[in-house]
Amino acid sequence: MSFKGFAMSNNASFTPPSLLLSTIGLSLATFMQVLDTTIANVALPTISGNLGVSSEQGTWVITSFAVSNAIALPLTGWLSRRFGEVKLFVWATLLFVLASFLCGIATSMPELVGFRVLQGVVAGPLYPMTQTLLIAVYPPAKRGLALALLAMVTVVAPIAGPILGGWITDSYSWPWIFFINVPIGLFAAWVVTQQMKKRPVVTSRQPMDYVGLIALIIGVGALQIVLDKGNDADWFESSFILIGSVISVVALAFFVIWEMTDEHPVVNLRLFAHRNFRYGTIVLILGYAGFFGINLILPQWLQTRLGYTATWAGFAVAPLGILPVLLAPFVGKYAPKFDMRLLAGGAFLAIGLSCFMRAGFTNEVDFQHIAMVQLFMGIGVALFFMPTLTILLSDLPPSQIADGSGLATFLRTLGGSFAASLTTWIWIRRADQHHAYLTESITPFDPATREALTNLGGAGAKAYTQLDQMVVSQAYIMSTVDYFTLLGWMFFGLILIVWLAKPPFTAKAGPAASAGH
């Protein structure tokens, strides 16, 4: 479809009675869903204790949501074509409200895990549908603003999750981290229904690819469980992880082959034939994985090594969200005037520089310094999501926007899962290596060791324990520096990859718009 033809079709596009209310309704549902990926994390010890299970069993509250959500995401395109975009969004939101309520009233861990599975499944279409509907209802000149606002939600919600979850758990009780979704979700569903009830519906009855769906469920489910449980089970030392990995590799290999040859694939992998979608999705996955890794390791390091509480670690990380919120309107308004590759490259440059700044941290770094680096990184985050999403959607036909959005979101989520597992593994493994290296020179015959023991009160067991703690602390700061240096070079490398995309970069509308709404 030519750009000229696309522009003409949108002159007659559907416009809701209030673009502001439509944006609020769509964004609230997405904020609620993204918030739920992190809000339960800090409440896990309380949930496990109240339901009478071990902390290891309690992590299934997180794993069950992640697995079911990852499986549901790629199905968004098929579901939207079958039922219509607005109807899918509204029903997914209402079912998410129901699942959240059920999670709140759960009385046992099996009940809670089962309801979290349901919650993850129905949450799958929310983000891709929000993205698709925002692009469809905004006029072409303002679609950048729509994507910038959605990017702001994507950044702020994961940061707010742990802080809000901790406050609710401490001040009230853990079920309220789920109950707060009920009024938000009902309001969002009502607003979107009222604003878009006159939007024409375009549906098609495509056959369901059951073979591909089963392969997807087995492959992604096994992979997500392996990634979530790998660190706890010592990876391939565990037969459970080994068997899960084999099942995942075989199922996913079969899935890819089947989807590339099936006439009506449940996930349209042929989208990667489009140049901008291919390279845009690569930088989205790697960029988000790096972003996720930063916000995983930094709070862990602050709490385990510098003695921060969970709340204060959250406050130290939180300045990251300030500039994306303040700059979102300006990015949306003025970004389309620039080459999207230039903006995305600027984002990776800023985030990469922030990583190198963290690589200069020591165990004496203060709260203000940490917060200011986070604030600086916000410049890069403000410029990351909107240009990247615009690039990856720019060369897709309008009828494939929902497929592309669902597939890119699925892979971005999977990238975050890989980052969560590999980041912790690399960080701990590297710290162990540094610890082993540092202790090689600590002997009773070393003058520096004898001096350190003397300063600690002598050569008794207590002094050796304190000395070991100092070595452990130093090993972890060295590991942290190594990790942020690695991330810094990765973000610099993404600058080169994003320039492989080719203009023009125009966020297109979905199938409804192309049909003359």
Side-chain angles (χ1 to χ4, degrees), residues 119-197:
Q119 192 184 39
V121 168
V122 299
L126 287 178
Y127 183 91
M129 280 298 94
T130 298
Q131 186 170 292
T132 302
L133 288 170
L134 283 175
I135 292 173
V137 300
Y138 268 73
K142 293 186 176 181
R143 283 185 189 134
L145 176 60
L147 290 178
L149 291 171
L150 187 58
M152 179 185 72
V153 171
T154 307
V155 172
V156 173
I159 297 172
I163 299 174
L164 185 61
W167 177 73
I168 289 174
T169 304
D170 292 340
S171 304
Y172 300 97
S173 59
W174 67 262
W176 282 98
I177 66 177
F178 299 111
F179 288 150
I180 61 169
N181 291 333
V182 174
I184 296 173
L186 290 176
F187 176 75
W190 178 77
V191 168
V192 173
T193 300
Q194 293 300 310
Q195 292 297 312
M196 299 197 183
K197 59 186 176 183

Side-chain angles (χ1 to χ4, degrees), residues 22-210:
S22 299
T23 304
I24 291 172
L26 291 166
S27 300
L28 272 178
T30 296
F31 182 84
M32 174 182 68
Q33 183 260 313
V34 177
L35 188 74
D36 254 53
T37 60
T38 59
I39 195 171
N41 293 19
V42 292
L44 279 185
T46 304
I47 294 173
S48 301
N50 287 359
L51 297 182
V53 299
S54 67
S55 58
E56 184 175 330
Q57 290 173 305
T59 60
W60 282 102
V61 174
I62 306 300
T63 304
S64 56
F65 181 89
V67 170
S68 57
N69 187 245
I71 291 169
L73 273 167
L75 303 177
T76 301
W78 184 88
L79 290 170
S80 68
R81 289 190 297 274
R82 177 65 181 82
F83 300 105
E85 295 162 345
V86 175
K87 186 179 290 186
L88 175 61
F89 175 88
V90 171
W91 276 106
T93 303
L94 292 175
L95 289 172
F96 188 85
V97 167
L98 175 62
S100 298
F101 177 77
L102 293 173
C103 287
I105 63 172
T107 57
S108 67
M109 184 55 68
E111 276 185 23
L112 180 57
V113 169
F115 295 143
R116 282 285 279 177
V117 169
L118 174 62
Q119 192 184 39
V121 168
V122 299
L126 287 178
Y127 183 91
M129 280 298 94
T130 298
Q131 186 170 292
T132 302
L133 288 170
L134 283 175
I135 292 173
V137 300
Y138 268 73
K142 293 186 176 181
R143 283 185 189 134
L145 176 60
L147 290 178
L149 291 171
L150 187 58
M152 179 185 72
V153 171
T154 307
V155 172
V156 173
I159 297 172
I163 299 174
L164 185 61
W167 177 73
I168 289 174
T169 304
D170 292 340
S171 304
Y172 300 97
S173 59
W174 67 262
W176 282 98
I177 66 177
F178 299 111
F179 288 150
I180 61 169
N181 291 333
V182 174
I184 296 173
L186 290 176
F187 176 75
W190 178 77
V191 168
V192 173
T193 300
Q194 293 300 310
Q195 292 297 312
M196 299 197 183
K197 59 186 176 183
K198 294 183 179 179
R199 185 172 185 259
V201 179
V202 178
T203 60
S204 62
R205 291 180 175 271
Q206 288 187 345
M208 169 54 79
D209 171 21
Y210 289 105

Side-chain angles (χ1 to χ4, degrees), residues 175-513:
W176 282 98
I177 66 177
F178 299 111
F179 288 150
I180 61 169
N181 291 333
V182 174
I184 296 173
L186 290 176
F187 176 75
W190 178 77
V191 168
V192 173
T193 300
Q194 293 300 310
Q195 292 297 312
M196 299 197 183
K197 59 186 176 183
K198 294 183 179 179
R199 185 172 185 259
V201 179
V202 178
T203 60
S204 62
R205 291 180 175 271
Q206 288 187 345
M208 169 54 79
D209 171 21
Y210 289 105
V211 175
L213 177 60
I214 292 171
L216 174 71
I217 292 172
I218 295 173
V220 173
L223 175 61
Q224 193 73 48
I225 291 171
V226 165
L227 291 174
D228 281 3
K229 298 297 181 183
N231 280 314
D232 295 335
D234 199 19
W235 291 102
F236 298 112
E237 297 299 318
S238 163
S239 58
F240 174 77
I241 296 298
L242 194 61
I243 293 171
S245 300
V246 172
I247 292 173
S248 176
V249 169
V250 172
L252 289 176
F254 175 81
F255 170 75
V256 171
I257 296 170
W258 181 270
E259 295 300 280
M260 293 299 291
T261 56
D262 190 70
E263 185 178 353
H264 300 287
V266 69
V267 178
N268 189 2
L269 298 178
R270 299 184 186 95
L271 294 176
F272 285 104
H274 297 276
R275 182 188 185 98
N276 289 354
F277 181 80
R278 181 167 64 249
Y279 292 118
T281 301
I282 289 173
V283 297
L284 177 68
I285 295 168
L286 294 177
Y288 183 77
F291 167 77
F292 194 94
I294 292 169
N295 290 293
L296 180 71
I297 284 300
L298 191 58
Q300 279 195 60
W301 177 61
L302 293 177
Q303 290 178 72
T304 58
R305 310 278 36 120
L306 299 192
Y308 280 58
T309 64
T311 301
W312 277 104
F315 284 137
V317 174
L320 171 64
I322 295 175
L323 289 179
V325 171
L326 297 178
L327 296 177
F330 300 99
V331 171
K333 183 176 181 179
Y334 297 108
K337 301 179 186 295
F338 295 89
D339 188 324
M340 292 295 164
R341 297 171 298 183
L342 190 63
L343 294 177
F348 298 139
L349 176 64
I351 298 174
L353 287 174
S354 76
C355 290
F356 286 121
M357 291 177 187
R358 293 185 193 90
F361 284 178
T362 66
N363 286 321
E364 284 71 45
V365 66
D366 59 23
F367 177 90
Q368 183 179 355
H369 191 179
I370 296 166
M372 290 304 294
V373 173
Q374 288 293 102
L375 183 68
F376 173 78
M377 179 177 160
I379 299 172
V381 174
L383 296 175
F384 169 43
F385 285 98
M386 179 267 180
T388 305
L389 292 173
T390 302
I391 288 171
L392 72 88
L393 295 175
S394 62
D395 62 351
L396 296 183
S399 61
Q400 294 182 339
I401 292 293
D403 286 275
S405 179
L407 181 55
T409 306
F410 159 66
L411 293 172
R412 187 200 74 188
T413 304
L414 212 56
S417 296
F418 270 101
S421 295
L422 295 179
T423 291
T424 306
W425 179 74
I426 292 171
W427 188 54
I428 294 173
R429 179 63 61 90
R430 191 67 178 155
D432 290 342
Q433 292 173 347
H434 282 301
H435 185 272
Y437 174 75
L438 291 171
T439 52
E440 287 179 359
S441 58
I442 298 178
T443 68
F445 308 104
D446 177 52
T449 302
R450 289 200 300 271
E451 182 180 352
L453 289 171
T454 300
N455 293 334
L456 292 172
K462 183 178 179 181
Y464 272 106
T465 300
Q466 289 179 299
L467 183 60
D468 183 62
Q469 287 300 313
M470 293 170 61
V471 173
V472 169
S473 184
Q474 192 60 34
Y476 269 97
I477 184 59
M478 293 170 73
S479 176
T480 305
V481 166
D482 289 346
Y483 181 71
F484 282 123
T485 302
L486 175 65
L487 283 186
W489 286 116
M490 185 196 78
F491 277 107
F492 281 7
L494 292 181
I495 298 174
L496 302 178
I497 296 176
V498 78
W499 279 91
L500 295 174
K502 297 294 182 184
F505 305 118
T506 305
K508 300 177 181 178

